[in-house]
Amino acid sequence: MRDLAKLPKAHLHLHFTGSMRLDTLVELASATRTRLPASFIDGDPLHVPADHRGWFRFQRSYDTARALVRSEEIMRRLVLEAALDDAAEGSRRLEIQVDPTSYAPYVGGLTPALEIILDAAQQATLLSGVEVAVVVAASRIRHPLDARTLARLAVRHAGEGPGQVVGFGLSNDERAGDTSSWAAAFAIARRAGLASLPHGGELLGPEHVRAVVSALAPTRLGHGVRLSEDPALLDQVVEAGISLEVCPASNVCLGVYHEPGDVPLGVLRAHGAQVALGADDPLLFHSRLVDQYEIARGQGLDDAALAELARGSIRASLATEGSKRRWLAEVDAWLAAPQTEGEAEAARG
């Protein structure tokens, strides 16, 4: 029962607006006299059914928060606060996902919006000690031609270090649109060396994962938990070296599973999947990165298994090999260190 906040790890599934602190949201809403939905301020995480009506409720709340991000100052603040929060939870690497389209009108266009976030990521790296890189993500509810524009913009800032674009994603309701329509945008990104990081396998099952894998050739799959329903396909995904960004609290809040214990971490791990736990949208789900490891611990994973999850997140990251080796050694040190008196007492219950 070692302290999970001290376990070195990488955070690979966090959305820009969804990373916002609640007190930051309340401050911004107060300044603009914006009325917040009760789900933000009643102390309970958002829970919706896994259907179109549920997604609409989730998206409406998300859009309320996103509409408050109206300046360069606020954009920079969100990146820094996300990095500082990750640092407090043992994260060594944050790959934050953003669609700059929503913020472009307030800062002079798509290019300035992305460049502000990249510069903020570089500064946040220095101030927090967490390497902050960026994933540019297209949205399924926008036209696929918009995704090509975003892919070309992402390519201009491609790299593997802090303040650079490391991958190209596809987010929003995975039931929207025809997945193959985004293949051209992902091809643009892959040709420039960017990782392919689409969502899939959360709201829809194995057949959609099959479509995502075929059309978009993912390096990592955002969520992917529904692969547990098709062991043969899961084995194929593992054999292809595709890592899974699993967000247990998100899966429960979006109605995919009833309880945290239902999230199929055991099945995924038993098939050899490389799993990276992520918080997805802490603002709405009231659950950050360490909470995901607590959920795994609640499923019976001991410290050695939790350390292996952390290693999986580091290996699945797009950091340099030198950084990965350093962080993996730190995971080994965490596991080898004797428990403190407080940790031992917590383990005894």
Side-chain angles (χ1 to χ4, degrees):
M1 295 285 290
R2 291 169 177 80
D3 186 351
L4 292 174
K6 295 180 181 177
L7 171 61
K9 57 185 78 69
H11 196 180
L12 309 182
H13 197 113
L14 182 70
H15 293 275
F16 176 67
T17 295
S19 74
M20 191 188 304
R21 294 173 177 173
L22 180 57
D23 58 357
T24 298
L25 176 74
V26 172
E27 179 186 327
L28 296 176
S30 176
T32 57
R33 298 184 179 181
T34 298
R35 183 177 180 179
L36 294 175
S39 59
F40 279 123
I41 54 181
D42 62 8
D44 294 322
L46 179 71
H47 278 90
V48 298
D51 57 20
H52 288 287
R53 183 182 296 273
W55 185 267
F56 174 77
R57 286 175 54 197
F58 162 74
Q59 192 65 55
R60 183 173 56 185
S61 295
Y62 196 95
D63 289 345
T64 298
R66 183 162 51 193
L68 296 172
V69 184
R70 302 177 181 175
S71 70
E72 175 177 346
E73 178 186 5
I74 297 171
M75 293 168 67
R76 289 181 177 277
R77 175 178 177 177
L78 264 58
V79 174
L80 177 58
E81 290 180 349
L84 292 172
D85 289 343
D86 258 35
E89 296 193 292
S91 177
R92 302 301 196 260
R93 170 87 169 188
L94 169 59
E95 296 178 3
I96 193 166
Q97 186 167 151
V98 64
D99 177 355
T101 308
S102 301
Y103 318 103
Y106 304 108
V107 294
L110 272 177
T111 298
L114 179 58
E115 290 180 348
I116 287 167
I117 291 169
L118 294 176
D119 188 62
Q122 193 167 39
Q123 292 183 351
T125 298
L126 297 174
L127 293 172
S128 69
V130 176
E131 284 192 4
V132 184
V134 174
V135 175
V136 172
S139 172
R140 281 184 170 272
I141 63 172
R142 294 195 174 98
H143 197 282
L145 289 176
D146 292 340
R148 297 190 201 184
T149 299
L150 283 177
R152 294 186 183 98
L153 176 60
V155 161
R156 296 209 297 267
H157 300 278
E160 59 185 7
Q164 294 181 299
V165 177
V166 294
F168 188 71
L170 181 63
S171 60
N172 213 297
D173 188 347
E174 65 179 296
R175 293 164 297 203
D178 179 351
T179 295
S180 63
S181 299
W182 284 276
F186 276 80
I188 291 169
R190 284 197 307 275
R191 283 197 295 270
L194 291 176
S196 175
L197 308 173
H199 286 49
E202 183 185 33
L203 298 175
L204 293 179
E207 281 308 306
H208 185 240
V209 173
R210 201 182 303 276
V212 171
V213 170
S214 174
L216 307 182
T219 307
R220 297 195 307 252
L221 190 62
H223 300 295
V225 285
R226 300 284 297 278
L227 277 165
S228 62
E229 301 166 15
D230 187 335
L233 180 59
L234 174 55
D235 287 340
Q236 292 173 27
V237 166
V238 172
E239 180 65 24
I242 301 169
S243 301
L244 306 180
E245 304 163 3
V246 177
C247 307
S250 170
N251 297 159
V252 174
C253 288
L254 292 177
V256 180
Y257 300 108
H258 292 296
E259 302 290 342
D262 298 334
V263 179
L265 286 173
V267 174
L268 300 178
R269 294 180 66 250
H271 283 258
Q274 183 161 267
V275 171
L277 297 180
D280 206 358
D281 296 296
L283 175 64
L284 283 82
F285 306 139
H286 298 192
S287 182
R288 289 202 49 83
L289 183 57
V290 165
D291 296 320
Q292 315 312 309
Y293 284 82
E294 292 286 4
I295 289 172
R297 177 174 272 171
Q299 291 193 7
L301 274 67
D302 61 13
D303 284 355
L306 293 167
E308 187 55 33
L309 281 176
R311 292 188 190 101
S313 72
I314 291 168
R315 294 183 183 118
S317 78
L318 299 164
T320 64
E321 290 304 316
S323 291
K324 291 182 183 182
R325 284 194 297 271
R326 183 171 69 254
W327 301 331
L328 290 170
E330 291 174 354
V331 174
D332 293 341
W334 177 86
L335 189 58
Q339 290 182 320
T340 66
E341 183 176 337
E343 291 168 343
E345 184 175 342
R348 290 191 293 268

